[in-house]
């Protein structure tokens, strides 16, 4: 009898103590905690955005590992599911190092990580957002052309959070062709022909959001960032009474300034 | 265990880097056992440092004179300024004895997510020195991290209009480093920064 009770208690205890998972994850943010540890926030496919203590994460040995944008093989372990828990990680792909010397690419990486960190709720899986961010970071070294992919990823993130843009047809006329604007209130597309006197109030819709193959330049990237930035600020961050992250604002500013040159 | 004074001493020591409660207890015990030889000199040193040491208004270094002894040294190249994140980095470069110019201590790096913005950095005195035409070259010796690189780009954008030379320390192979022990990012940086021999 005593053995059975012990077994049951052991089983219950093992359930309590087996709070762990292993998965690839993208590091979004790590801030020093104590002398050598770091509080890390990662994005994984199945666990969503997840925080944990990376022991030694701020130490000289591990500082290169816990950099935003790095893809890590993570192991999270906590005594209870709702505890902060702790991470250990191994590098799979370095997303940060290839772009450190490129101001625009570094700004893109920082902005993407900051948006994911600020907009996504904790421990809610968003596989499409994870897959999109993974692809974006992997292809960042291709250069400024990846700004279109970044805007598309932000649109995906908005859709996943329930604030998706409706770019299927014109909100006013129902037309499917000639879509050139988005209503800043409804997030629905408006055609060039139907824009009329409201044109100045509408947000320009860059062609690459309708057709991935459409050619795009700095002005299109700027318009795209302005478009998703408006809805991120109003909905994803506004609902939390938080401003758009500084890194995202800096990216828009950098791209907008490049269109003036 | 002891009186509240001992507990307070241990608590204060435990707040220091490298100390935990256990090390703090050992240190406190050593100090209290030899008050004349250990405790009183430490008290005097702490009091003197607290009274005298201030950040240099020009470069941000810690010293008991302002401008600091490095800024005031006429043998140093006054037109060459090395920008570092903290005083610890300045001390590391001075230990190595490889930089014969001046320094500027930023006091941190930009971090959007940690809420560190440009206004939190000690950058204004550096920009003022450059604007006054005192500087010929700025060497950015900031950490090879996302925050360090972001800060370096931010500073570069502000320094470039002044037409001075701007360089940064190289990233790559450390002395005595074996290739198979390096992380992927360092290897990539080392290959990108390869030099003709």
């Amino acid at each position: 009898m005593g053995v059975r009770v012990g077994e049951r208690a052991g089983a219950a205890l093992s359930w309590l103590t087996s709070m762990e998972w292993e998965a690839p994850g993208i590091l979004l943010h790590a801030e020093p905690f104590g002398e050598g540890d770091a509080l890390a926030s990662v994005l994984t496919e199945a666990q969503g955005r997840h925080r944990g203590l990376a022991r030694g994460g701020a130490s000289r040995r591990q500082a290169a590992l816990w950099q935003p944008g790095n893809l890590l093989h993570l192991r999270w372990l906590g005594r209870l599911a709702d505890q902060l828990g702790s991470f250990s990680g191994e590098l799979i792909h370095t997303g940060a190092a290839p772009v450190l010397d490129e101001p625009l690419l570094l700004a893109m990486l920082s902005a993407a990580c900051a948006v994911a960190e600020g907009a996504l709720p904790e421990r809610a899986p968003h596989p499409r957002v994870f897959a999109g961010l993974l692809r974006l970071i992997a292809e960042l070294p291709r250069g400024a052309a990846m700004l279109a992919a970044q805007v598309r990823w932000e649109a995906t993130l908005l859709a996943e959070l329930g604030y998706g843009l409706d770019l299927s047809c014109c909100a006013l006329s129902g037309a499917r062709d000639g879509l050139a604007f988005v209503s800043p209130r409804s997030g629905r597309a408006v055609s060039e022909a139907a824009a009329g006197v409201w044109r100045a109030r509408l947000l320009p819709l860059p062609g690459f959001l309708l057709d991935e193959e459409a050619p795009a330049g700095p002005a299109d990237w700027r318009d795209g960032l302005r478009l998703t930035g408006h809805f991120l600020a109003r909905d994803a961050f506004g609902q939390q009474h938080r401003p758009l992250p500084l890194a995202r604002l800096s990216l828009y500013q950098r791209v907008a300034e490049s269109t003036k040159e | 265990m002891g009186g509240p004074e001992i507990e307070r001493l241990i608590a204060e020591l435990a707040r220091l880097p490298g100390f935990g409660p256990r090390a703090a207890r050992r240190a406190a015990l050593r100090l209290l056992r030899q008050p004349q030889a250990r405790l009183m000199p430490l008290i005097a040193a702490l009091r003197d440092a607290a009274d005298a040491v201030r950040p240099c208004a020009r470069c941000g270094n810690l010293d008991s004179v302002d401008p600091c002894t490095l800024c005031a040294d006429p043998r140093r190249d006054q037109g060459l300024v090395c920008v570092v994140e903290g005083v610890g980095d300045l001390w590391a470069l001075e230990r190595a004895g490889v930089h014969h110019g001046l320094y500027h201590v930023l006091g941190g790096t930009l971090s959007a997510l940690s809420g560190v913005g440009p206004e939190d950095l000690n950058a204004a005195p550096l920009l003022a020195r450059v604007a006054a035409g005192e500087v010929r070259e700025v060497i950015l010796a900031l950490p090879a991290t996302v925050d360090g690189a972001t800060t370096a780009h931010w500073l570069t954008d502000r320094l470039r209009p002044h037409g001075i030379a701007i360089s940064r320390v190289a990233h790559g192979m450390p002395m005595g480093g074996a290739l198979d022990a390096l992380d992927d990012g360092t290897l990539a940086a080392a290959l990108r920064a390869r030099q003709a021999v």
Side-chain angles (χ1 to χ4, degrees), chain A residues 98-176:
Chain A
V99 300
L100 282 188
D101 293 337
E102 301 291 337
L104 176 63
L105 303 185
L106 185 63
M108 289 166 67
L109 177 73
S110 298
C113 289
V115 165
E117 167 70 8
L120 292 172
E122 252 194 286
R123 302 193 184 194
H126 291 285
R128 287 176 63 208
V129 176
F130 172 76
L133 184 59
L134 192 62
R135 199 162 43 244
L136 175 68
I137 291 172
E139 295 181 9
L140 261 186
R142 285 174 55 191
M146 290 307 293
L147 276 166
Q150 182 146 5
V151 172
R152 281 195 293 270
W153 172 76
E154 289 183 344
T156 303
L157 184 140
L158 282 167
E160 284 277 310
L161 293 174
Y163 306 117
L165 307 176
D166 181 359
L167 308 179
S168 57
C169 64
C170 175
L172 300 173
S173 65
R176 294 185 178 276

Side-chain angles (χ1 to χ4, degrees), chain A residues 22-114:
Chain A
E22 275 188 59
I26 301 163
L27 185 84
L28 301 177
H29 179 55
E31 59 183 315
F33 183 79
E35 272 182 52
D37 300 335
L39 274 175
S41 178
V42 303
L43 182 65
T44 70
E45 186 172 22
Q47 312 294 333
R49 187 170 72 82
H50 206 291
R51 282 162 63 84
L53 183 72
R55 295 201 185 281
S59 66
R60 287 181 189 176
R61 271 175 73 102
Q62 289 193 43
L65 185 70
W66 300 97
Q67 289 297 311
N70 279 355
L71 179 67
L72 309 171
H73 182 83
L74 293 159
R75 181 165 181 254
W76 179 84
L77 186 66
R79 281 199 302 119
L80 295 169
D82 58 356
Q83 284 186 328
L84 178 67
S86 61
F87 281 127
S88 55
E90 278 183 40
L91 188 67
I92 299 173
H93 171 77
T94 174
V99 300
L100 282 188
D101 293 337
E102 301 291 337
L104 176 63
L105 303 185
L106 185 63
M108 289 166 67
L109 177 73
S110 298
C113 289

Side-chain angles (χ1 to χ4, degrees), chain B:
Chain B
M1 193 165 66
E5 295 81 6
I6 297 178
E7 294 297 330
R8 189 177 155 212
L9 175 62
I10 292 172
E12 288 299 324
L13 288 171
R15 290 169 62 186
L16 297 174
F19 276 73
R22 193 183 173 92
R25 276 197 298 273
R26 285 169 54 203
L29 199 56
R30 174 66 67 90
L31 291 169
L32 293 169
R33 272 183 179 160
Q34 297 170 299
Q36 291 306 320
R38 307 261 183 198
L39 188 57
M40 300 315 286
L42 179 63
I43 291 170
L46 288 171
R47 187 178 295 125
D48 289 350
D51 289 344
V53 177
R54 295 281 180 274
C56 172
R58 198 167 178 220
C59 74
N61 183 23
L62 292 175
D63 205 331
S64 51
V65 288
D66 190 5
C68 69
T69 46
L70 297 175
C71 284
D73 187 346
R75 293 167 299 176
R76 288 186 167 266
D77 185 344
Q78 303 287 318
L80 183 63
V81 176
C82 182
V83 179
V84 292
E85 183 187 7
V87 175
D89 302 324
L90 184 156
W91 289 352
L93 282 164
E94 278 301 288
R95 277 200 308 273
V98 289
H99 177 62
H100 304 291
L102 303 181
Y103 292 93
H104 189 84
V105 180
L106 277 182
T109 50
L110 296 175
S111 176
L113 284 169
S114 298
V116 182
E119 66 282 356
D120 298 311
L121 300 183
N122 178 39
L126 172 69
L127 297 173
R129 283 159 85 181
V130 172
E134 298 171 19
V135 181
R136 183 182 75 252
E137 179 180 352
V138 168
I139 304 168
L140 300 171
L142 294 169
T145 60
V146 168
D147 290 346
T150 302
T151 310
H153 294 313
W154 178 82
L155 260 181
T156 304
D157 288 345
R158 270 134 201 91
L159 292 171
R160 189 162 283 146
H162 296 285
I164 58 166
I166 307 165
S167 56
R168 68 155 174 79
V169 292
H171 302 156
M173 294 282 294
M175 280 296 287
L179 279 175
D180 65 349
L182 293 183
D183 64 274
D184 298 359
T186 307
L187 273 175
L191 276 177
R192 275 202 307 274
R194 66 187 182 276
Q195 294 177 354
V197 291

